[in-house]
Amino acid sequence: RIGAWVFSENQGPNGQAWKQLAPIKRLDAKDGNRSHRAALLASVDGLPAITRGGTGLYSTTLAGYQKVLASFDPKYFNSLILMTDGANEEPNSIGLPKLLSELKALQDPNRRVRIIAIGMSSDADMQSLRKIAEVTGGRAYRADTPDEIIQVFQDALLSR
C-alpha cells in the first residue's frame, strides 16, 4: 500500500504546504479504470510542474505521519517515506522541537509507524531529517542519484 503527496508552498487551502496526489492503496487496487500503480506513477510524473518553491517540511511531516497512523494496517509495514531536496522554509512553521514533540506523543507501540527520511541534494537539512527519523525509530539517508535512491529503498525494506 502506497500513496503520494507533494509538498511545497501553497499546495492546499489557506497556504497548506501539502496536497495528496494519490491515496494510500494497494498497488493492484483499481483506481478508476486503471491500477493504483498506474495512477500513482502518473501523479508523481507531474511533480516538477506543481512544486511551487519553499518547503513546508515540518507541517507536512506531521500531517503525513498522522495520515499513515490513521490508515494503519497491521498486515503491512506502515511507514512514511519523506523525500526532500531542502530544509523547512515554511513561514509560521511549527518548528523542529514542536514537530519532534508531536511525533513522540503520537507514537503507539501497537501501531508502529517509522519515518524514512531521504535528503536528495546538498540543500537537504540532514541534521533535521535525522532527528525526525530517529524519534520514530526510522532512518535518514542522503541520496543524490537514482541508484542511491534505489539503495536507500532496499536498505529501508531490509531494516524492517
Side-chain angles (χ1 to χ4, degrees), residues 1 74-79 112 114 116 137 139 141 153-160:
R1 296 180 343 128
K75 297 180 295 220
Y76 294 94
F77 174 62
N78 294 262
S79 63
R112 187 170 180 225
R114 295 187 310 164
I116 307 300
R139 291 188 179 173
Y141 301 87
F153 280 112
Q154 289 173 342
D155 187 66
L157 286 172
L158 293 173
S159 72
R160 303 185 335 183

Side-chain angles (χ1 to χ4, degrees), residues 1-125:
R1 296 180 343 128
I2 189 169
W5 286 16
V6 61
F7 64 102
S8 66
E9 293 177 342
N10 299 314
Q11 288 295 324
N14 302 317
Q16 179 178 291
W18 68 91
K19 178 172 69 176
Q20 179 177 280
L21 300 178
I24 299 172
K25 290 184 179 180
R26 287 175 45 112
L27 290 174
D28 61 351
K30 281 294 185 193
D31 213 334
N33 57 353
R34 59 184 173 175
S35 71
H36 180 60
R37 182 180 195 279
L40 183 70
L41 289 172
S43 73
V44 296
D45 278 346
L47 280 176
I50 58 177
T51 54
R52 299 183 179 106
T55 304
L57 183 62
Y58 301 156
S59 64
T60 301
T61 300
L62 181 57
Y65 191 86
Q66 290 168 326
K67 181 70 168 181
V68 174
L69 202 56
S71 64
F72 184 88
D73 188 329
K75 297 180 295 220
Y76 294 94
F77 174 62
N78 294 262
S79 63
L80 172 64
I81 299 174
L82 181 65
M83 299 174 71
T84 183
D85 64 353
N88 188 66
E89 301 167 321
E90 185 176 20
N92 306 314
S93 171
I94 63 171
L96 184 59
K98 177 75 171 161
L99 170 62
L100 298 176
S101 172
E102 292 283 336
L103 290 172
K104 194 170 190 176
L106 287 168
Q107 290 180 31
D108 178 345
N110 297 315
R111 298 184 309 152
R112 187 170 180 225
V113 174
R114 295 187 310 164
I115 294 178
I116 307 300
I118 305 170
M120 300 190 313
S121 77
S122 59
D123 293 332
D125 181 357

